[in-house]
Amino acid sequence: MNRRQLLRATTALGTTAVGTTALGTTAVGATGAPAAASTTQAPTAGQIDPLRIHLVMFDGVEELDFAAPYEVFSAAGFFTPRPVEVRYVSATGARSVTAAYGTEVRGLHRWAPEEADVLVVPGGGYARRDSPGVWAEIDRGTLPRALAAASAGPVLAALCTGVMLLAAAGLTRGRPCTTHHKAKADLARQGGLVKNARVVDDGDLVTAGGITSGLELALWITRRELGADTTTALETMLEYESRGTVWSP
């Protein structure tokens, strides 16, 4: 048994199991069998509704921005009886994207915010206006329009310069928020109430700072949705403790 398996075994809350479906979707449960990958099936009597996380993908997205939340949310299911489903989604219908450092991610799922509890927007490419990334998505307009249309549904979460995609959609105006330190002035100019915090929780809008803050964003949402015990056990398994301030009203 390797170190990670040992930590999972010694810190998990009860017997757990993990099932992996197509690339881009991980369903984790504590039922002794893989959790259902579909988010469209109605739960049966006594079944716990899953926590459904959709991670927004686009060309030029920063690897750590999407990989860190994916790992945290997927691993969280080992420490809670509530199933956790995580998938990569695209607002443009793309089936694959090429990330900032050349990583190709395939098997993306369709855009379906009505099937998500939390929609997470990573950043990437903000410093390179003529390259794939956040600026290219803002100029194209498809993703900001899709995010604006989704704002009445799931909790919207973003980290690093992914917050600027929410700003382009008009979703941070007049709202407490944060982003990568080099984009904070832009966020303020677009009407965001910028807070000097690692994570800013304004209820249905949760934002986080620079690249590594994807860990804090995911751990905070895990705490909100799945409880402190789950998050403490998860941090033990990850050998990582949340850093920085969480701002909330």
Side-chain angles (χ1 to χ4, degrees):
M1 177 180 290
N2 64 31
R3 179 178 58 83
R4 177 172 292 186
Q5 291 172 326
L6 177 62
L7 284 167
R8 284 172 175 166
T10 56
T11 59
L13 306 178
T15 303
T16 60
V18 58
T20 303
T21 60
L23 179 63
T25 303
T26 300
V28 188
T31 60
S38 172
T39 58
T40 59
Q41 297 177 348
T44 59
Q47 181 178 336
I48 303 174
D49 290 341
L51 175 61
R52 304 165 301 174
I53 310 290
H54 289 191
L55 278 156
V56 179
M57 301 293 283
F58 50 88
D59 284 328
V61 64
E62 192 89 20
E63 276 85 348
L64 191 56
D65 276 19
F66 67 81
Y70 189 97
E71 168 109 5
V72 171
F73 287 127
S74 297
F78 285 97
F79 308 106
T80 174
R82 184 179 181 185
V84 180
E85 297 175 3
V86 188
R87 62 173 53 179
Y88 293 135
V89 299
S90 168
T92 64
R95 295 295 295 160
S96 66
V97 297
T98 301
Y101 292 96
T103 304
E104 184 179 359
V105 182
R106 295 177 289 178
L108 307 186
H109 290 259
R110 63 185 177 87
W111 184 258
E114 71 280 0
E115 297 176 4
D117 298 302
V118 182
L119 193 64
V120 180
V121 186
Y126 198 75
R128 302 177 298 278
R129 185 76 187 247
D130 58 347
S131 300
V134 168
W135 278 118
E137 295 305 316
I138 291 173
D139 292 341
R140 175 192 275 184
T142 302
L143 180 50
R145 286 193 296 270
L147 290 169
S151 62
V155 171
L156 293 180
L159 65 139
C160 197
T161 55
V163 179
M164 302 311 298
L165 286 163
L166 297 184
L171 300 174
T172 57
R173 184 172 297 278
R175 302 287 300 270
C177 53
T178 191
T179 186
H180 189 282
H181 67 278
K182 289 188 176 180
K184 284 183 176 180
D186 292 342
L187 184 59
R189 278 192 291 269
Q190 295 186 44
L193 306 180
V194 179
K195 302 297 181 182
N196 186 26
R198 185 76 166 168
V199 176
V200 176
D201 185 340
D202 194 35
D204 60 355
L205 177 68
V206 185
T207 55
I211 300 169
T212 58
S213 68
L215 289 164
E216 275 73 40
L217 179 74
L219 286 166
W220 176 254
I221 292 173
T222 297
R223 182 183 179 92
R224 253 185 47 162
E225 301 296 329
L226 301 175
D229 286 342
T230 295
T231 309
T232 299
L234 179 58
E235 288 182 333
T236 300
M237 189 273 283
L238 294 172
E239 295 188 353
Y240 181 84
E241 293 182 359
S242 297
R243 56 182 285 261
T245 300
V246 176
W247 183 98
S248 60

